[in-house]
Amino acid sequence: MKPWAPGEIVVDPDSPEPLYSQVARQLHAAIEDGRLPNGARLDNELDLAARLHLSRPTVRQAIQSLVNQGMLVRKRGVGTQVVRTKVARPLRLSSLFDDLSELGDKPESVVLVNRVEPAGEEAAERLETPGLTHVRRLKRVRSTGGEPLAIMNNYLPDGIIDPDDDELRDKGLYQLLRAAGVRLHAAQQNVGARQATEDDAELLAEKPGAALLTMRRTTYDDAGRVVEHGWHVYRASRYSFNLSLTNNV
């Protein structure tokens, strides 16, 4: 694919679509299809405006709209750069590792907690096993392209899998469960939002108070047994969930 050039942008002053929107739409397409790759720098606003025969405020508005979408970032002393677009994740029975791999990304993980510990009341309740004595507790930071995306927390019944840290770095949790013969069947999931705590912000390279997406999921095997409960937080600036709705009436 040939490198992107500003001359590829064509604006139609007679179109009902605002000029800034025409520029933003074409820049967005160039980022999405890879002509403007991650880290690419745009010409400064004056040069870009001159090339396109547009006013500087029009170009500034186009760029700002993509900054607001998280596709461009302004850096002092560097200029305007392309940043990785959001990961749009469908709501289905898959792990973040699975979804990133399908998108062609290479998921990376930092394992913060991987241990067996006494099952407290909350863990036993979440795993729907009142007499449970021990659980495996996991905490990981999932990244892609060198950027953190999510903090992943999980409880699993002790003994269902026994992964070491290398396995947790190289494989997704569902991948490990399937490899152990667990037949994943269904899940109950809740999606919400909250602000980043100081600990969240440090792990996710965000500012305290930044918007985070939250997800709680309880996963069942084909025998109706709970095989894991997860509670995760995702950077809202880099991540979204997609939900398809159908009319069955």
Side-chain angles (χ1 to χ4, degrees):
M1 183 180 293
K2 66 180 182 178
W4 179 88
E8 293 183 32
I9 295 178
V10 178
V11 294
D12 179 4
D14 296 323
S15 169
E17 182 183 13
L19 294 176
Y20 86 88
S21 179
Q22 294 182 47
V23 174
R25 173 172 50 77
Q26 293 174 71
L27 283 172
H28 187 288
I31 295 171
E32 284 290 326
D33 66 21
R35 284 175 292 148
L36 272 172
N38 186 41
R41 279 192 261 182
L42 299 187
D43 291 345
N44 64 52
E45 290 176 0
L46 282 174
D47 289 343
L48 196 54
R51 285 174 181 264
L52 300 176
H53 305 290
L54 295 172
S55 69
R56 185 177 181 182
T58 296
V59 171
R60 182 185 298 119
Q61 189 173 4
I63 290 174
Q64 187 60 47
S65 70
L66 295 180
V67 170
N68 294 342
Q69 295 176 50
M71 303 187 81
L72 296 176
V73 64
R74 301 178 191 270
K75 296 183 178 180
R76 183 172 298 177
V78 175
T80 303
Q81 280 187 293
V82 175
V83 293
R84 295 182 66 86
T85 57
K86 282 187 176 183
V87 175
R89 181 178 179 184
L91 286 176
R92 59 178 184 173
L93 190 51
S94 63
S95 69
L96 177 56
F97 188 97
D98 296 334
D99 294 330
L100 291 173
S101 297
E102 284 188 16
L103 290 170
D105 292 329
K106 181 173 174 52
E108 303 147 6
S109 298
V110 175
V111 180
L112 301 178
V113 177
N114 175 23
R115 63 173 180 253
V116 174
E117 61 185 33
E121 183 177 341
E122 180 187 6
E125 180 180 349
R126 296 294 184 183
L127 294 173
E128 300 180 14
T129 311
L132 192 65
T133 58
H134 288 82
V135 296
R136 179 167 293 275
R137 168 84 163 86
L138 303 177
K139 183 176 183 178
R140 295 155 293 155
V141 175
R142 183 81 80 213
S143 303
T144 183
E147 286 192 70
L149 276 183
I151 303 170
M152 323 289 290
N153 292 279
N154 298 87
Y155 286 136
L156 295 91
D158 181 28
I160 194 167
I161 56 173
D162 184 23
D164 59 30
D165 287 2
D166 287 340
E167 289 177 302
L168 290 170
R169 279 189 285 266
D170 295 339
K171 298 179 181 179
L173 180 57
Y174 282 8
Q175 189 178 358
L176 292 171
L177 286 167
R178 292 187 182 105
V182 177
R183 297 169 62 90
L184 304 176
H185 177 67
Q188 292 289 330
Q189 178 167 284
N190 293 300
V191 177
R194 66 172 173 81
Q195 292 181 318
T197 65
E198 290 189 4
D199 288 343
D200 295 332
E202 183 176 356
L203 291 174
L204 293 175
E206 289 280 6
K207 294 180 179 179
L212 300 179
L213 295 172
T214 66
M215 184 184 75
R216 276 193 176 270
R217 177 187 281 184
T218 302
T219 306
Y220 301 82
D221 67 7
D222 57 356
R225 174 183 58 159
V226 176
V227 294
E228 70 93 14
H229 175 79
W231 65 105
H232 315 318
V233 292
Y234 305 82
R235 295 173 65 185
S237 62
R238 288 288 323 281
Y239 198 87
S240 65
F241 291 102
N242 285 342
L243 176 63
S244 297
L245 302 176
T246 58
N247 184 2
N248 294 319
V249 177

